[in-house]
Amino acid sequence: MRAKARDLDTMIRRVRRKTVQARDKPNVVGVDLKDNAKEGLEPTVIDDINLLDEEQGADWISIPDDTLVGLFGLLNYRDRASLASVCKTWRRLAASSCLWTSLDLRAHTLDAVMASSLAGRCKNLKRLRFRGAGPASAIVGLKARGLRDLSGDVCRDLSDATLSMIAARHESLESLQLGPDCERLTSDAIRVVAVCCPKLKRLRLSGLRDVDGDAIGSLVKMCPNLIELGFLDCLAVNEGALGAATSLRFLSLAGSRNLSWNVAAHVLSKLPNLYAIDVSRTEVTAGAVTRLLGAPQLKVLCALSCPTLEDNSDAVSKLKTKILLARFTDFVKDLDSLFPRAFRSDTRSSVRENGWSSYPSAWRQVWAGREEDRSGEVMEWVEWVLSHALLTIAESNVPGLDNFWLKQGTEVMLRLLKSKQEDVQEKGATALATSVVIDDENATVDKARAEAVMKGGGIASLLDLAKSCREGVQAEAAKAIANLSINTEVAKTVATEGGIRILAALAKSPNRWVAEGAAGGLWNLSVGEDHKGAIAEAGAIEALVELAFKWPSGGEGVLERAAGALANLAADDKCSTEVAGAGGVHALVMLARFCKHEGVQEQAARALANLAAHGDSNGNNAAVGKEIGSLEALVQLTCSSHEGVRQEAAGALWNLSFDDRNREAIAAAGGVEALVALAQSCSSGSQGLQERAAGALWGLSVSEANSIAIGREGGVAPLIALARSDSEDVHETAAGALWNLAFNPGNALKIVEEEGVPALVHLCSSSQSKMARFMAALALAYMFDGRMDEVAAGVVLCENNARGGGLDGARKLAMRNIDTFVQAFSDQPTLQAATVSWAPSFLAAVAESARIQEAGHLRCSGAEVGRFVAMLKNGSAVLRGCAAFALLQFTMPGGRHAMHHAGLLQKAGAGRVLRAVAAAATAPLQAKVFSRIVMRNLELCPSDTPQAFP
């Protein structure tokens, strides 16, 4: 026996590290597991298999059947089903009923077909967890007559008829737990359960409207072994009828209303076996609590979040031998005094020093040496009650609980993570995930609470749970890690302790809830630049892209988080290339085109915007535009009723418009009309939406054909309105769009007619943004360099413009402010000194004083550069100075497009014009010096091949 035990031990250690394809032939050694058998395996199993792919010599075919069954017993049912595809022998063994004693079907839709396919394996099924009323109806199809433990979540639509049918087919039930919000269930169903399930020991029901005395009486009469009752969040419970439940050891009335606590305390205090009671979230009075604690048999009373009691806490008589779990007591200390073996001071000191990750399951040792038969059940009940209470309190997000969470709540939740009960671990992790969030809409976590979890060793504990083979625990642990990772310090700890690789593996899970939590964690960890590289190295990008294809419908939470993570990663140049290389462009476009969930649409559009934001550094901008349906989908999303979707779609179109082909394709897809409509409607929207709407029009207006179309569709007026915004980002972007539009004389006249001159003058003179002032000045220069005059001939301006002096008055106002703007960047003594010697040092000083750094990112077309060259010959001294100033900005060495502009100037023969201006005795001082600096810049910047303005 010892030899065989060692062999089984060895195989157990190896099963999660390597499995090979087994065919129905002897002596097959070292053959890799088929890829289709790996599909659906837990990510940790796949990783471990891959780690040992190079190992040889393991003869997996010769393993005895009982050893293989033992190995399969270490895996969850999903992994067993996947490995069953290896060969007939493994399929037969994996179907052994002894392996199917427990099923968690919460992530699946159990229907009659699935139940029929599983029925042959469920002969010995003892424990089942499900979600929803639909699967509940199919439970009887499993034919698990020996089922003992049944737990259902999200049972709002569960009816009396369905529960009665389940009870009638499962007379061996010992534990039944249903909730929350079982509002359709009535006392009639409870009576049927009592009659059909005489072995019942535990009944927990949540959200019933009424539990009458007859129902309680039936349970007492028909279920002699009943030791635990839970009627949680019920509108009414007949407290008097509970007096007959003499077998009860544990009772929970948490959240239930309309109770007479004088009656309840009188009745319950006389129950001879009642050991613990939970009255959390009720209106229990101090007098009732005192009376209950006075009952000799009662040891534990949980009364968390009881307002009436907390207001009169001084009136509660406490006994040293009793535990009162309340916000106003140090119940951890009370547990320490009552259960010294588990909570003695040296143990607690060690926990404080090393964190709860090193803490053994001490709660299971508290009764060592006394009442052995009750040790497990008491602590199981305490754990369950605390996990449920803390989760409910965390979900309510009641203000003023900081002290409670920091001093007691967090410590208890970390202990619950070490429970042997799966549902307690889940609730503990969920409570942690929820308690740290103080603003869900804006993804804000409480710094002190998050760091308390981290300092208590909670990250290590959660990562351990995330590596569990139990998918429910994995999902809640991943969710907690995701929420905690919003805090940058916690995110560093998660990364340091290997959390990124764990989350990357979980993102490949076939369980939607697990994948959703993992994608959420990667989304939060990818904020900023600290962890993007590690996420890519862990293979998470491929996993995130695959999620878009794995959950095309019904998995909106997964898709939103995956797209959000990809959007963050795409903001990094290197990671954006990897996203595109992994098929991310196609995946994100598919989401933008076909998914109707607004959160998914928003994140997909944001991801496409970030992919297209890297300009010439990679080919993603063009790749997004080439993807079938991408531009049409983004144009359509600008019409969404959701502001976030409109904003991100407009941002994506803005970035994509920097590519020549994309710009024209966007216009062909109706982008001009859609974006003008967006600009017209966003006056009451967020600044981000306004900026992106104006930016997308700015990008499209680079093309003169699009510029004319924007003016024709009515785009001038909304851009002028946005130019009046107090937000620098908004009015700067609007000024850029108006600058482009003003290049066309017809649009220039429209700007005058729509009272755009005062708006541009205000920007030119008052904006804190140098770029906004610069582009406003250039727009005014375009409007009044003479090209608009022919279009304006015979046009009668509106009354307001006429009162202001008409076109001549607008021209004078513009010229005065253009001159003031240029003068603001000109130091007269330095200019004078430069004209005396033209020494390089003086010219360099003038150039640095006049330079606007951000202007180096602007890229002009040949026509625009030619217009500035022509402006150098204009009769207006103001316009000559403005043109020289503009060309100085566009040719400064180090500017992104300086070489491009130098090439265009050389092609336009600007050198002769610049020399003439610099040498002219009558030229303005600014024009002379700035022209000389431009000539110097052309010497320092070798030209590139002229190309169109993207």
Side-chain angles (χ1 to χ4, degrees):
M1 285 299 295
R2 293 177 62 83
K4 186 165 186 178
R6 284 199 300 272
D7 179 60
L8 179 58
D9 253 3
T10 301
M11 301 314 298
I12 287 173
R13 287 195 299 271
R14 295 169 65 90
V15 68
R16 299 189 70 82
R17 299 190 301 168
K18 181 171 183 175
T19 308
V20 294
Q21 177 183 354
R23 299 171 182 161
D24 292 324
K25 297 179 182 178
N27 301 320
V28 178
V29 180
V31 182
D32 288 339
L33 182 67
K34 293 187 297 185
D35 288 338
N36 65 348
K38 289 184 182 180
E39 292 180 3
L41 283 176
E42 278 295 315
T44 50
V45 178
I46 296 175
D47 290 344
D48 292 338
I49 288 171
N50 293 335
L51 283 175
L52 290 186
D53 273 346
E54 298 179 0
E55 287 189 8
Q56 299 294 327
D59 187 353
W60 294 87
I61 302 304
S62 63
I63 301 174
D65 286 356
D66 59 346
T67 303
L68 278 173
V69 170
L71 297 177
F72 287 155
L74 298 176
L75 306 177
N76 64 31
Y77 66 93
R78 195 194 297 271
D79 288 348
R80 292 198 296 271
S82 296
L83 289 175
S85 66
V86 171
C87 66
K88 293 179 180 178
T89 300
W90 284 24
R91 182 160 56 251
R92 173 177 57 80
L93 294 175
S96 300
S97 58
C98 65
L99 294 173
W100 297 84
T101 58
S102 177
L103 269 181
D104 184 351
L105 298 178
R106 288 175 296 169
H108 306 275
T109 302
L110 180 66
D111 54 22
V113 175
M114 180 185 289
S116 178
S117 67
L118 291 173
R121 306 174 186 181
C122 295
K123 179 181 178 181
N124 293 328
L125 185 64
K126 305 300 181 187
R127 184 171 185 266
L128 176 64
R129 302 186 73 178
F130 69 94
R131 186 189 302 270
S137 301
I139 287 175
V140 294
L142 294 173
K143 299 180 180 179
R145 300 301 294 264
L147 190 65
R148 295 180 183 175
D149 187 336
L150 181 63
S151 177
D153 297 341
V154 193
C155 295
R156 179 183 298 273
D157 296 323
L158 185 65
S159 66
D160 281 358
T162 300
L163 181 55
S164 298
M165 178 177 62
I166 292 172
R169 300 290 185 89
H170 301 92
E171 60 275 6
S172 296
L173 270 181
E174 296 179 0
S175 175
L176 177 61
Q177 180 173 318
L178 301 172
D181 301 326
C182 300
E183 56 188 27
R184 293 187 61 189
L185 293 181
T186 69
S187 294
D188 291 339
I190 298 176
R191 282 190 283 272
V192 173
V193 169
V195 171
C196 297
C197 305
K199 297 180 181 180
L200 197 66
K201 296 180 178 179
R202 175 191 296 139
L203 178 64
R204 296 170 179 168
L205 300 176
S206 174
L208 277 68
R209 295 183 181 278
D210 179 42
V211 181
D212 62 28
D214 289 343
I216 296 174
S218 296
L219 288 170
V220 171
K221 180 179 179 181
M222 306 303 296
C223 304
N225 298 322
L226 188 67
I227 62 171
E228 180 184 341
L229 264 181
F231 295 125
L232 291 77
D233 299 294
C234 297
L235 288 179
V237 177
N238 189 318
E239 63 274 5
L242 292 171
T246 57
S247 64
L248 278 187
R249 295 183 188 174
F250 309 103
L251 174 65
S252 177
L253 298 173
S256 291
R257 286 164 280 176
N258 302 313
L259 294 171
S260 172
W261 282 107
N262 286 333
V263 174
H266 174 74
V267 169
L268 298 177
S269 63
K270 294 183 178 181
L271 291 179
N273 294 302
L274 187 63
Y275 205 89
I277 184 171
D278 178 19
V279 296
S280 299
R281 300 180 292 109
T282 67
E283 294 298 324
V284 66
T285 62
V289 168
T290 298
R291 183 163 189 171
L292 288 170
L293 289 175
Q297 75 284 359
L298 193 76
K299 298 297 182 184
V300 181
L301 190 152
C302 184
L304 291 171
S305 194
C306 297
T308 303
L309 175 64
E310 289 164 3
D311 290 342
N312 298 278
S313 58
D314 293 340
V316 178
S317 300
K318 304 173 186 176
L319 301 175
K320 292 183 178 180
T321 57
K322 307 297 177 75
I323 294 179
L324 175 59
L325 308 178
R327 292 209 313 239
F328 56 85
T329 67
D330 184 353
F331 57 80
V332 175
K333 183 178 179 181
D334 290 340
L335 289 170
D336 192 6
S337 63
L338 188 58
F339 306 137
R341 291 191 176 213
F343 297 97
R344 57 178 181 260
S345 59
D346 57 338
T347 301
R348 297 181 66 195
S349 176
S350 174
V351 168
R352 283 192 292 268
E353 293 176 4
N354 303 316
W356 283 102
S357 60
S358 61
Y359 182 65
S361 296
W363 285 24
R364 307 217 163 260
Q365 303 167 14
V366 298
W367 294 94
R370 62 167 94 172
E371 300 189 63
E372 293 291 345
D373 59 324
R374 292 188 179 182
S375 62
E377 63 186 29
V378 170
M379 295 317 300
E380 284 181 3
W381 185 86
V382 170
E383 289 175 346
W384 182 82
V385 163
L386 287 175
S387 66
H388 191 278
L390 292 174
L391 174 57
T392 307
I393 294 171
E395 288 174 338
S396 65
N397 198 20
V398 177
L401 294 183
D402 286 347
N403 189 56
F404 169 73
W405 289 121
L406 294 176
K407 287 192 173 181
Q408 298 194 96
T410 299
E411 183 176 345
V412 174
M413 287 187 290
L414 291 176
R415 295 185 184 194
L416 296 176
L417 298 182
K418 294 296 180 180
S419 170
K420 291 182 180 180
Q421 298 182 82
E422 182 178 348
D423 59 338
V424 170
Q425 289 179 331
E426 289 180 21
K427 283 188 173 67
T430 308
L432 274 177
T434 308
S435 67
V436 297
V437 177
I438 54 178
D439 185 350
D440 187 50
E441 185 174 345
N442 296 309
T444 305
V445 300
D446 185 278
K447 183 176 184 292
R449 297 182 196 174
E451 293 184 1
V453 175
M454 177 182 67
K455 293 174 182 177
I459 303 305
S461 296
L462 289 168
L463 291 175
D464 285 342
L465 292 182
K467 292 185 287 187
S468 164
C469 66
R470 294 168 295 176
E471 293 175 343
V473 173
Q474 287 179 342
E476 298 306 328
K479 183 197 300 182
I481 294 167
N483 285 0
L484 288 162
S485 295
I486 296 173
N487 179 280
T488 54
E489 293 302 316
V490 174
K492 290 178 183 177
T493 302
V494 171
T496 301
E497 298 192 13
I500 290 176
R501 289 198 174 276
I502 293 172
L503 292 173
L506 292 180
K508 303 173 186 177
S509 172
N511 183 303
R512 176 161 61 97
W513 307 110
V514 176
E516 180 177 316
L522 293 170
W523 186 2
N524 289 338
L525 285 166
S526 61
V527 174
E529 303 303 318
D530 293 342
H531 310 300
K532 285 185 170 70
I535 291 172
E537 290 174 6
I541 289 177
E542 293 81 359
L544 291 166
V545 170
E546 288 172 6
L547 287 176
F549 302 107
K550 186 181 293 185
W551 303 104
S553 61
E556 289 79 8
V558 184
L559 297 177
E560 181 179 4
R561 287 159 177 77
L566 289 172
N568 288 349
L569 293 166
D572 176 81
D573 187 25
K574 183 178 178 182
C575 288
S576 73
T577 302
E578 294 189 35
V579 170
V585 172
H586 177 63
L588 292 164
V589 169
M590 293 292 286
L591 294 180
R593 290 180 66 187
F594 301 116
C595 186
K596 303 304 180 184
H597 185 270
E598 291 168 342
V600 178
Q601 292 174 339
E602 180 179 1
Q603 296 308 320
R606 186 170 72 91
L608 292 170
N610 287 348
L611 282 171
H614 299 284
D616 301 331
S617 62
N618 60 47
N620 290 346
N621 193 306
V624 173
K626 290 177 183 177
E627 186 67 33
I628 295 175
S630 60
L631 302 180
E632 292 82 356
L634 289 168
V635 168
Q636 186 63 35
L637 290 180
T638 63
C639 304
S640 169
S641 60
H642 187 276
E643 181 174 306
V645 176
R646 298 198 302 273
Q647 176 175 311
E648 299 304 339
L653 291 172
W654 183 6
N655 289 347
L656 288 164
S657 67
F658 281 86
D659 179 88
D660 292 346
R661 293 187 181 87
N662 288 344
R663 188 185 312 119
E664 303 313 316
I666 291 169
V672 171
E673 296 82 357
L675 289 167
V676 168
L678 181 61
Q680 291 170 336
S681 64
C682 72
S683 59
S684 60
S686 67
Q687 293 178 0
L689 175 61
Q690 294 175 349
E691 178 192 7
R692 287 162 177 79
L697 288 172
W698 182 8
L700 288 184
S701 64
V702 167
S703 160
E704 187 167 10
N706 290 344
S707 176
I708 294 171
I710 291 170
R712 183 175 61 247
E713 293 294 327
V716 170
L719 285 170
I720 291 173
L722 294 176
R724 295 191 177 101
S725 170
D726 292 332
S727 166
E728 286 185 23
D729 290 336
V730 175
H731 68 233
E732 179 182 301
T733 312
L738 290 169
W739 170 36
N740 279 355
L741 291 178
F743 186 83
N744 176 266
N747 284 337
L749 182 59
K750 284 186 174 70
I751 294 173
V752 175
E753 292 175 330
E754 296 288 349
E755 300 185 52
V757 172
L760 290 169
V761 163
H762 178 73
L763 284 186
C764 187
S765 61
S766 304
S767 175
Q768 297 299 310
S769 164
K770 292 182 180 179
M771 279 290 287
R773 294 168 61 198
F774 178 49
M775 291 186 292
L778 297 186
L780 292 169
Y782 278 173
M783 292 164 62
F784 297 107
D785 67 352
R787 299 195 184 189
M788 184 181 66
D789 294 347
E790 294 182 6
V791 179
V795 174
V796 179
L797 298 179
C798 68
E799 183 179 350
N800 287 341
N801 277 313
R803 289 176 180 173
L807 196 59
D808 286 339
R811 179 181 289 107
K812 291 177 183 178
L813 179 64
M815 291 299 179
R816 186 165 60 249
N817 281 276
I818 293 171
D819 186 46
T820 301
F821 168 73
V822 175
Q823 292 284 354
F825 289 85
S826 309
D827 179 66
Q828 291 299 319
T830 307
L831 287 175
Q832 292 288 353
T835 58
V836 172
S837 66
W838 300 115
S841 59
F842 286 109
L843 293 177
V846 173
E848 286 305 314
S849 175
R851 185 173 191 176
I852 300 174
Q853 290 287 344
E854 299 91 334
H857 295 285
L858 297 174
R859 182 180 172 101
C860 295
S861 66
E864 289 176 300
V865 167
R867 189 157 180 176
F868 285 120
V869 172
M871 211 179 287
L872 288 172
K873 299 181 284 186
N874 194 285
S876 167
V878 172
L879 291 178
R880 293 200 301 274
C882 181
F885 180 79
L887 292 174
L888 178 151
Q889 305 299 333
F890 299 144
T891 58
M892 284 295 290
R896 184 175 179 182
H897 303 295
M899 290 192 297
H900 166 75
H901 294 140
L904 294 179
L905 284 168
Q906 291 179 8
K907 186 177 181 180
R912 178 172 51 82
V913 179
L914 289 165
R915 284 192 295 272
V917 174
T922 58
L925 187 60
Q926 287 92 346
K928 290 167 65 73
V929 177
F930 292 159
S931 295
R932 183 61 69 95
I933 293 172
V934 174
M935 293 167 59
R936 183 204 65 159
N937 290 346
L938 294 179
E939 294 173 358
L940 297 175
C941 291
S943 65
D944 66 355
T945 303
Q947 43 189 301
F949 184 8

